[in-house]
């Protein structure tokens, strides 16, 4: 996986089960810091997590 093109995506699931893409980052550490900041807000009905979005290669 080419790390230069990899994106890290911050997601949120709300109290109704709706999933929202919140932000994209070029750094896992930055994505994790922002995720942790949202989690510290302690909104009990929201769940935050980070996933990796790998770039698509040529077909």
């Amino acid at each position: 996986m080419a790390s230069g093109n990899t994106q890290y995506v911050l997601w949120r699931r709300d109290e109704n089960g709706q999933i929202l893409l919140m932000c994209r980052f070029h750094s896992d550490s930055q994505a994790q810091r922002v995720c942790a900041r949202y989690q510290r807000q302690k909104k009990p009905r929201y769940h935050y997590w980070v996933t990796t979005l790998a770039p698509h290669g040529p077909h």
Side-chain angles (χ1 to χ4, degrees), residues 4 8 12 30 39 48 52:
Y8 301 90
R12 181 187 81 191
Q30 183 182 22
Q39 289 172 338
Y48 301 95
T52 303

PDB file of all heavy atoms in Angstrom, residues 4 8 12 30 39 48 52:
ATOM      1  N   GLY A   4       1.811   7.331   0.728  1.00  0.00           N
ATOM      2  CA  GLY A   4       1.636   8.716   0.328  1.00  0.00           C
ATOM      3  C   GLY A   4       0.223   9.036  -0.129  1.00  0.00           C
ATOM      4  O   GLY A   4      -0.222  10.158  -0.047  1.00  0.00           O
ATOM      5  N   TYR A   8      -6.887   8.465   5.859  1.00  0.00           N
ATOM      6  CA  TYR A   8      -7.452   7.957   7.103  1.00  0.00           C
ATOM      7  C   TYR A   8      -8.745   8.716   7.322  1.00  0.00           C
ATOM      8  O   TYR A   8      -8.781   9.935   7.266  1.00  0.00           O
ATOM      9  CB  TYR A   8      -6.461   8.145   8.250  1.00  0.00           C
ATOM     10  CG  TYR A   8      -5.180   7.424   7.940  1.00  0.00           C
ATOM     11  CD1 TYR A   8      -4.144   8.051   7.266  1.00  0.00           C
ATOM     12  CD2 TYR A   8      -5.027   6.087   8.285  1.00  0.00           C
ATOM     13  CE1 TYR A   8      -2.989   7.374   6.945  1.00  0.00           C
ATOM     14  CE2 TYR A   8      -3.869   5.394   7.974  1.00  0.00           C
ATOM     15  CZ  TYR A   8      -2.861   6.049   7.300  1.00  0.00           C
ATOM     16  OH  TYR A   8      -1.713   5.365   6.975  1.00  0.00           O
ATOM     17  N   ARG A  12     -18.468   8.804  12.274  1.00  0.00           N
ATOM     18  CA  ARG A  12     -19.311   8.938  13.465  1.00  0.00           C
ATOM     19  C   ARG A  12     -20.609   8.205  13.225  1.00  0.00           C
ATOM     20  O   ARG A  12     -21.227   8.335  12.165  1.00  0.00           O
ATOM     21  CB  ARG A  12     -19.623  10.400  13.747  1.00  0.00           C
ATOM     22  CG  ARG A  12     -20.480  10.559  15.013  1.00  0.00           C
ATOM     23  CD  ARG A  12     -20.948  11.967  15.211  1.00  0.00           C
ATOM     24  NE  ARG A  12     -22.125  12.191  14.362  1.00  0.00           N
ATOM     25  CZ  ARG A  12     -22.669  13.371  14.141  1.00  0.00           C
ATOM     26  NH1 ARG A  12     -22.140  14.456  14.655  1.00  0.00           N
ATOM     27  NH2 ARG A  12     -23.726  13.491  13.381  1.00  0.00           N
ATOM     28  N   GLN A  30      -2.764  11.957  13.118  1.00  0.00           N
ATOM     29  CA  GLN A  30      -3.658  13.116  13.188  1.00  0.00           C
ATOM     30  C   GLN A  30      -5.116  12.660  13.287  1.00  0.00           C
ATOM     31  O   GLN A  30      -5.891  13.202  14.076  1.00  0.00           O
ATOM     32  CB  GLN A  30      -3.472  14.009  11.972  1.00  0.00           C
ATOM     33  CG  GLN A  30      -4.321  15.268  12.025  1.00  0.00           C
ATOM     34  CD  GLN A  30      -4.162  16.130  10.799  1.00  0.00           C
ATOM     35  OE1 GLN A  30      -3.761  15.649   9.740  1.00  0.00           O
ATOM     36  NE2 GLN A  30      -4.483  17.401  10.932  1.00  0.00           N
ATOM     37  N   GLN A  39     -14.088  11.736  21.190  1.00  0.00           N
ATOM     38  CA  GLN A  39     -14.475  10.748  22.198  1.00  0.00           C
ATOM     39  C   GLN A  39     -14.434  11.342  23.609  1.00  0.00           C
ATOM     40  O   GLN A  39     -15.244  10.974  24.456  1.00  0.00           O
ATOM     41  CB  GLN A  39     -13.565   9.525  22.113  1.00  0.00           C
ATOM     42  CG  GLN A  39     -13.827   8.703  20.885  1.00  0.00           C
ATOM     43  CD  GLN A  39     -12.817   7.593  20.690  1.00  0.00           C
ATOM     44  OE1 GLN A  39     -11.708   7.642  21.202  1.00  0.00           O
ATOM     45  NE2 GLN A  39     -13.206   6.580  19.934  1.00  0.00           N
ATOM     46  N   TYR A  48     -17.204   7.143  17.587  1.00  0.00           N
ATOM     47  CA  TYR A  48     -16.243   7.622  16.595  1.00  0.00           C
ATOM     48  C   TYR A  48     -15.183   6.566  16.364  1.00  0.00           C
ATOM     49  O   TYR A  48     -14.771   5.876  17.288  1.00  0.00           O
ATOM     50  CB  TYR A  48     -15.555   8.896  17.104  1.00  0.00           C
ATOM     51  CG  TYR A  48     -16.521  10.015  17.389  1.00  0.00           C
ATOM     52  CD1 TYR A  48     -17.021  10.217  18.675  1.00  0.00           C
ATOM     53  CD2 TYR A  48     -16.940  10.867  16.380  1.00  0.00           C
ATOM     54  CE1 TYR A  48     -17.914  11.238  18.936  1.00  0.00           C
ATOM     55  CE2 TYR A  48     -17.828  11.896  16.639  1.00  0.00           C
ATOM     56  CZ  TYR A  48     -18.312  12.076  17.925  1.00  0.00           C
ATOM     57  OH  TYR A  48     -19.189  13.075  18.175  1.00  0.00           O
ATOM     58  N   THR A  52      -8.860   3.099   7.397  1.00  0.00           N
ATOM     59  CA  THR A  52      -7.903   3.419   6.339  1.00  0.00           C
ATOM     60  C   THR A  52      -8.601   3.296   4.994  1.00  0.00           C
ATOM     61  O   THR A  52      -9.296   2.316   4.737  1.00  0.00           O
ATOM     62  CB  THR A  52      -6.713   2.443   6.390  1.00  0.00           C
ATOM     63  OG1 THR A  52      -6.130   2.516   7.681  1.00  0.00           O
ATOM     64  CG2 THR A  52      -5.680   2.796   5.345  1.00  0.00           C
TER      65      THR A  52
END
